[in-house]
Amino acid sequence: FGHPCPHALAQGGTNFRHIARLRRFRGLTSPPKSILVDGKEAPLLDTPALANLPEGRMCMTGKDALYYRPPAGKTIDELRMMAIFRSSGVAINGANQHLVIKNLNVAYTTNDGYNIHGATKHILFQNCNAFFCGDEGYSAHGKCESTLDGGIFLKCSNGIHNVNQCSTVIRNVIVGNVNTGGLVNDPGTTNNIVENTILIDCPLGVSNTRADNVLAIVGMGLGPNVQVSGATVAGNGRIRLNANSKADFEKCLFAFDGGDMHVRAASPDGIVSFKDCFYDPAFAMEWGTGHPFTRMPFTTWVQDNPSLASHCQATELDLKPALDDGHIPEGVNPGMGCSRELLQRYIDFLPKHQTLLEEAKKIVFTDDHAE
């Protein structure tokens, strides 16, 4: 619990990554000696986990035993206990074709809300939501071809994560409040499309993707073969690329609060290009293979690289505070990032956010057990 010593541990993935204090560590060749908690060394417990299990908490030892310590003064017989037995809400495998799944809510699965494997084709998920899933809200694998049109994905470990050689079309989706990946298409995936989509406090991390009309409230991490048009990136995050990335931006708005375009390569040449884009005056271009990175104002970089950036201009917009306050600021014109309709959808969604989560809890819990 806490942040590990970087030289001692390598953090790995785990289901329920949205639980902030839950960590699993891979690749250890010997038991760790200590971890850092708030920057201070904290020794590991000398006694087994069971002896230190807090009241009302559970843990596993080995593969077959689950232990739970009741609250003080309570016995197991006096408690109402529930467990998750379903891995995924909807699971598809094999060579299925021409399936339509509509208007579903999935919550509290141990794995994915919607799990697609095999070599499926012509699979449509329409208006399908997922909440509190242990891994992805939506995840396509193998060589599957699927379309997700309409959906809200909140409080999952990953919102949407597509892997292997699958091809996925994603439209009219909201992803938010995830612990790790927001909307991710791995480098092995092909011919992906992302349209009319909002990401709240989580990144768009895609490869081999055409993205159009996207609002990303934190940033992006882009791989090879990415075309981004009509996207607005706001908040205080960054856009990150590496030496294998290739991203072309057109009619985008980089409305960061002091953010930057970070290219982890010797030069941005051949990795990024910009056309008809707008950016905050404080936006910066940063690149290099390691510290110290070269950094300059984006305006200066644009002037020095006319072959990579054409018709780009600085514009000062206090965008995210305005959106969070419920209005679109003056100066947001057509052709400047995502559509006004998508910005309005974000504004309309914010006050409904908590109510949606409470309704999702009621899928599983009764009113008196929904805390």
Side-chain angles (χ1 to χ4, degrees):
F1 294 24
H3 297 289
C5 301
H7 63 273
L9 304 177
Q11 183 175 334
T14 177
N15 285 357
F16 296 98
R17 288 186 287 270
H18 56 283
I19 302 176
R21 292 184 296 171
L22 181 62
R23 299 288 186 268
R24 182 174 69 183
F25 301 102
R26 293 174 173 163
L28 297 181
T29 57
S30 61
K33 302 300 183 184
S34 66
I35 62 174
L36 295 180
V37 178
D38 294 329
K40 299 179 180 179
E41 187 173 293
L44 301 182
L45 298 175
D46 295 327
T47 53
L50 288 180
N52 294 276
L53 189 62
E55 295 177 6
R57 305 298 287 271
M58 63 182 180
C59 73
M60 291 188 69
T61 61
K63 295 183 178 179
D64 302 317
L66 177 66
Y67 292 86
Y68 174 78
R69 174 163 290 176
K74 296 286 186 179
T75 66
I76 293 292
D77 292 340
E78 297 176 287
L79 300 176
R80 181 175 183 264
M81 303 186 71
M82 305 176 71
I84 299 173
F85 290 99
R86 184 172 293 277
S87 172
S88 298
V90 175
I92 300 175
N93 204 347
N96 291 283
Q97 296 189 36
H98 302 290
L99 299 179
V100 178
I101 298 94
K102 287 186 176 181
N103 305 326
L104 286 183
N105 289 318
V106 171
Y108 293 100
T109 59
T110 59
N111 189 36
D112 301 338
Y114 306 91
N115 179 280
I116 307 100
H117 272 85
T120 63
K121 292 183 179 180
H122 308 298
I123 308 298
L124 172 63
F125 291 86
Q126 193 169 44
N127 298 324
C128 290
N129 307 321
F131 311 94
F132 302 103
C133 295
D135 207 5
E136 278 79 44
Y138 184 97
S139 187
H141 308 70
K143 295 184 178 179
C144 295
E145 298 176 6
S146 63
T147 296
L148 171 61
D149 190 349
I152 298 172
F153 297 83
L154 302 176
K155 288 288 186 179
C156 302
S157 280
N158 297 296
I160 299 170
H161 193 164
N162 301 312
V163 300
N164 306 133
Q165 295 83 46
C166 69
S167 176
T168 312
V169 176
I170 299 168
R171 296 189 177 104
N172 307 311
V173 162
I174 296 176
V175 180
N177 303 118
V178 301
N179 191 65
T180 51
L183 193 165
V184 180
N185 292 324
D186 275 0
T189 61
T190 62
N191 301 317
N192 303 298
I193 296 173
V194 177
E195 295 177 336
N196 308 326
T197 288
I198 298 172
L199 295 104
I200 303 173
D201 296 329
C202 58
L204 177 74
V206 295
S207 300
N208 305 310
T209 298
R210 177 173 60 80
D212 182 62
N213 199 30
V214 173
L215 174 61
I217 305 294
V218 71
M220 296 180 176
L222 305 179
N225 191 27
V226 178
Q227 295 84 44
V228 184
S229 61
T232 295
V233 192
N236 56 4
R238 67 180 0 173
I239 300 174
R240 179 162 180 165
L241 304 95
N242 58 41
N244 297 319
S245 302
K246 180 64 175 75
D248 300 313
F249 298 89
E250 185 172 359
K251 296 182 179 179
C252 293
L253 171 61
F254 307 117
F256 283 114
D257 180 11
D260 58 39
M261 177 84 58
H262 178 87
V263 181
R264 191 61 66 89
S267 170
D269 294 7
I271 295 177
V272 290
S273 70
F274 306 88
K275 181 180 179 182
D276 299 323
C277 292
F278 299 83
Y279 57 93
D280 187 273
F283 192 53
M285 175 66 81
E286 182 178 83
W287 69 92
T289 57
H291 293 282
F293 296 107
T294 301
R295 185 180 178 90
M296 67 173 59
F298 195 70
T299 294
T300 304
W301 185 86
V302 166
Q303 293 170 348
D304 291 347
N305 293 272
S307 63
L308 299 177
S310 60
H311 304 100
C312 296
Q313 65 183 68
T315 182
E316 191 160 354
L317 293 170
D318 205 8
L319 183 62
K320 187 174 184 299
L323 296 178
D324 291 346
D325 192 45
H327 70 277
I328 301 172
E330 294 183 8
V332 178
N333 300 315
M336 183 184 291
C338 69
S339 66
R340 292 181 66 90
E341 289 77 11
L342 200 66
L343 295 177
Q344 190 62 49
R345 187 181 180 194
Y346 172 79
I347 291 171
D348 295 341
F349 173 78
L350 288 182
K352 302 174 183 177
H353 176 200
Q354 193 59 40
T355 300
L356 269 175
L357 291 176
E358 294 302 320
E359 290 297 322
K361 291 178 182 179
K362 292 179 183 179
I363 296 174
V364 175
F365 299 105
T366 59
D367 289 342
D368 58 335
H369 289 83
E371 59 280 333

